[in-house]
Amino acid sequence: MTITITAFERSPDGGKGLARDTRVRWALEEVGQPYEVRLVPHRAMKEPAHLAIHPFGQIPTYEEDGLALFETGAIVFHLAQRFAGLLPLDAHARARAITWMFAALNTMEPPILDIFTARILEGDKPWAAERLPLVLDRVRARLRQLADRLGDADWLDGGFSAGDLMMVSVLLRARPSGVLDEFPTLAAYVARGEARPAYRRAFAAQLAVNAPAA
Amino acid sequence: MTITITAFERSPDGGKGLARDTRVRWALEEVGQPYEVRLVPHRAMKEPAHLAIHPFGQIPTYEEDGLALFETGAIVFHLAQRFAGLLPLDAHARARAITWMFAALNTMEPPILDIFTARILEGDKPWAAERLPLVLDRVRARLRQLADRLGDADWLDGGFSAGDLMMVSVLLRARPSGVLDEFPTLAAYVARGEARPAYRRAFAAQLAVNAPAA
């Protein structure tokens, strides 16, 4: 079986690892599966060939024999179901780990992505400077709740899981704004994720595409 | 086994079915499981007893013997894994249905919820009137892509699944703004969801709580 994912031909972040293919690369490294990467030029993202696999014209996608998926949550979950290493075997612990995947993507990521909306998409609007602090405060409110739950644990629920993989990946997107570092236990949690050998391999692989001269 | 979910003691929408407990009620009705509801007063949402179950202080939560979950995606997925009726048995079709759950929650819902941010949370800001059209245009862009993928099919991938349950639930939140009706095939898709007996029972159950005099 060959696994093929897609990634930006050139990531807008220049190799910081914030594009969503890094999450899928990380999951593949955690479960020890080799994969191939098809790079998609920006102009091809909204063309029929790519839209046939990803209806919203984004990356990453995931293909194996006879199956095509999109959405990082779905791809990481598929890998976690199929290969050992990302979800506990106990049914209750497994359900809780999956809960954290959804929490990362539906509760934590939207306010964090709103930082991007405020700074970039609406960065030239007259309200940009005044609105950004409101957006950051909404992110802080979520980070505070997450920090309260994490406490001094290493991971969100027992051992490292796909829930942590997704939460760390989402929190990484808050770091450039500075708000993540206001919560030292969360910054340390993210650092634990980044220190995992599987993450380091994934990061290096995306960097090799996006900053080949570095 | 007793299943207990939480819901607002009084939903901010006054019984329009847009609060997230409706999604879980719908899933429970689709799989034919009885459930109890514990109503949470607004003041109790951020208190320790509720935060112990839902770290972000929201509803719904889900409890069964020895297991407590939050996040509608995780709860609906748990029900779909455990009981028949919401996910196909074929492994590939199942992975695709799960993909649509994530797409509803991570790709479609964030821009739709931004309508709420623009109109309510930031409704008193000087930029409110000028910003709303930008937000609605971002929703339209996603709705157009979704309509292109749905085509003239009844459901997103074969028969009705948890992916449709979640997508219909998310799209319902775009309807009050008027943008949903700009896409007749999507409006019809949502209406098909609402016509399901399980949805009607779920809607009636939340209405009984939120508009008891109606």
Side-chain angles (χ1 to χ4, degrees), chain B residues 115 119 136 140 143 174-183:
Chain B
I115 302 174
R119 296 179 91 144
L136 292 174
R140 286 184 185 101
L143 292 174
R175 193 160 61 185
S177 71
V179 287
L180 181 65
D181 289 331
E182 296 173 18
F183 299 86

Side-chain angles (χ1 to χ4, degrees), chain A residues 51-52 56 58 65-66 69-71 74 77 92 99 103 105-107 109 122 127 131 138 142 145 149, chain B residues 51-52 56 58 65-66 69-71 74 77 92 99 103 105-107 109 122 127 131 138 142 145 149:
Chain A
L51 287 172
F56 301 104
Q58 299 177 316
D65 305 347
L69 300 177
F70 60 99
E71 289 286 332
F77 176 72
H92 285 189
T99 296
L105 292 168
N106 193 236
T107 294
E109 189 166 44
E122 300 179 9
W127 57 78
R131 186 170 176 267
R138 289 197 286 263
R142 290 289 180 232
Q145 292 169 317
R149 171 52 68 104
Chain B
L51 287 172
F56 301 105
Q58 299 178 316
D65 306 347
L69 300 177
F70 61 99
E71 288 287 330
F77 176 73
H92 284 189
T99 296
L105 293 168
N106 194 236
T107 295
E109 190 166 43
E122 300 178 9
W127 57 78
R131 186 170 177 267
R138 289 197 285 261
R142 290 287 181 232
Q145 291 169 318
R149 170 54 68 105

Side-chain angles (χ1 to χ4, degrees), chain B residues 74-116:
Chain B
I75 297 168
V76 170
F77 176 73
H78 175 71
L79 293 169
Q81 285 271 78
R82 188 164 170 146
F83 305 108
L86 281 172
L87 284 175
L89 294 177
D90 172 74
H92 284 189
R94 198 175 181 90
R96 290 196 302 269
I98 293 167
T99 296
W100 284 111
M101 292 187 66
F102 281 104
L105 293 168
N106 194 236
T107 295
M108 198 59 73
E109 190 166 43
I112 290 175
L113 281 189
D114 205 19
I115 302 174
F116 171 82

Side-chain angles (χ1 to χ4, degrees), chain B residues 1-180:
Chain B
M1 183 190 72
T2 302
I3 292 173
T4 304
I5 67 168
T6 51
F8 288 123
E9 184 178 58
R10 190 138 193 93
S11 173
D13 77 352
K16 292 195 183 74
L18 303 181
R20 286 189 174 91
D21 59 292
T22 304
R23 305 173 187 185
V24 172
R25 294 175 187 270
W26 186 5
L28 285 159
E29 294 288 352
E30 291 282 355
V31 300
Q33 290 298 312
Y35 62 99
E36 297 183 357
V37 182
R38 190 170 67 245
L39 300 178
V40 184
H42 191 72
R43 67 179 180 282
M45 303 283 280
K46 312 293 180 196
E47 289 178 356
H50 189 65
L51 287 172
I53 308 174
H54 197 313
F56 301 105
Q58 299 178 316
I59 61 93
T61 58
Y62 172 97
E63 290 163 271
E64 58 174 61
D65 306 347
L67 178 64
L69 300 177
F70 61 99
E71 288 287 330
T72 52
I75 297 168
V76 170
F77 176 73
H78 175 71
L79 293 169
Q81 285 271 78
R82 188 164 170 146
F83 305 108
L86 281 172
L87 284 175
L89 294 177
D90 172 74
H92 284 189
R94 198 175 181 90
R96 290 196 302 269
I98 293 167
T99 296
W100 284 111
M101 292 187 66
F102 281 104
L105 293 168
N106 194 236
T107 295
M108 198 59 73
E109 190 166 43
I112 290 175
L113 281 189
D114 205 19
I115 302 174
F116 171 82
T117 301
R119 296 179 91 144
I120 309 294
L121 289 189
E122 300 178 9
D124 62 343
K125 301 299 173 195
W127 57 78
E130 201 180 340
R131 186 170 177 267
L132 183 60
L134 301 185
V135 170
L136 292 174
D137 277 348
R138 289 197 285 261
V139 176
R140 286 184 185 101
R142 290 287 181 232
L143 292 174
R144 192 167 297 117
Q145 291 169 318
L146 184 67
D148 285 348
R149 170 54 68 105
L150 180 66
D152 57 5
D154 278 354
W155 306 112
L156 286 165
D157 192 301
F160 177 83
S161 79
D164 295 297
L165 185 153
M166 204 55 82
M167 189 63 83
V168 167
S169 298
V170 164
L171 294 179
L172 276 166
R173 296 189 140 193
R175 193 160 61 185
S177 71
V179 287
L180 181 65

Side-chain angles (χ1 to χ4, degrees), chain A residues 36-204:
Chain A
E36 296 182 357
V37 182
R38 191 169 69 247
L39 300 178
V40 184
H42 191 73
R43 66 179 182 283
M45 303 284 281
K46 313 293 181 196
E47 288 179 357
H50 189 65
L51 287 172
I53 308 174
H54 198 313
F56 301 104
Q58 299 177 316
I59 60 94
T61 58
Y62 172 96
E63 290 163 90
E64 58 174 59
D65 305 347
L67 177 65
L69 300 177
F70 60 99
E71 289 286 332
T72 51
I75 297 167
V76 171
F77 176 72
H78 175 71
L79 293 169
Q81 285 271 78
R82 189 166 169 144
F83 305 107
L86 281 172
L87 284 174
L89 293 177
D90 171 75
H92 285 189
R94 197 175 182 90
R96 290 196 302 269
I98 292 168
T99 296
W100 284 111
M101 291 187 67
F102 281 103
L105 292 168
N106 193 236
T107 294
M108 197 59 72
E109 189 166 44
I112 289 174
L113 281 189
D114 205 18
I115 302 173
F116 171 81
T117 301
R119 295 180 93 144
I120 309 294
L121 289 188
E122 300 179 9
D124 62 343
K125 301 297 174 194
W127 57 78
E130 202 180 339
R131 186 170 176 267
L132 183 61
L134 302 183
V135 170
L136 292 174
D137 277 348
R138 289 197 286 263
V139 175
R140 286 185 184 103
R142 290 289 180 232
L143 292 175
R144 193 168 295 118
Q145 292 169 317
L146 185 67
D148 286 348
R149 171 52 68 104
L150 180 65
D152 56 7
D154 279 354
W155 307 111
L156 287 166
D157 192 302
F160 177 82
S161 79
D164 295 298
L165 185 153
M166 204 56 82
M167 189 64 82
V168 167
S169 298
V170 164
L171 293 179
L172 276 166
R173 296 187 141 194
R175 194 161 58 185
S177 71
V179 287
L180 180 66
D181 289 331
E182 297 174 19
F183 299 86
T185 58
L186 294 183
Y189 168 70
V190 169
R192 274 191 293 280
E194 292 178 296
R196 292 179 70 83
Y199 179 84
R200 294 162 73 106
R201 289 193 296 272
F203 184 88

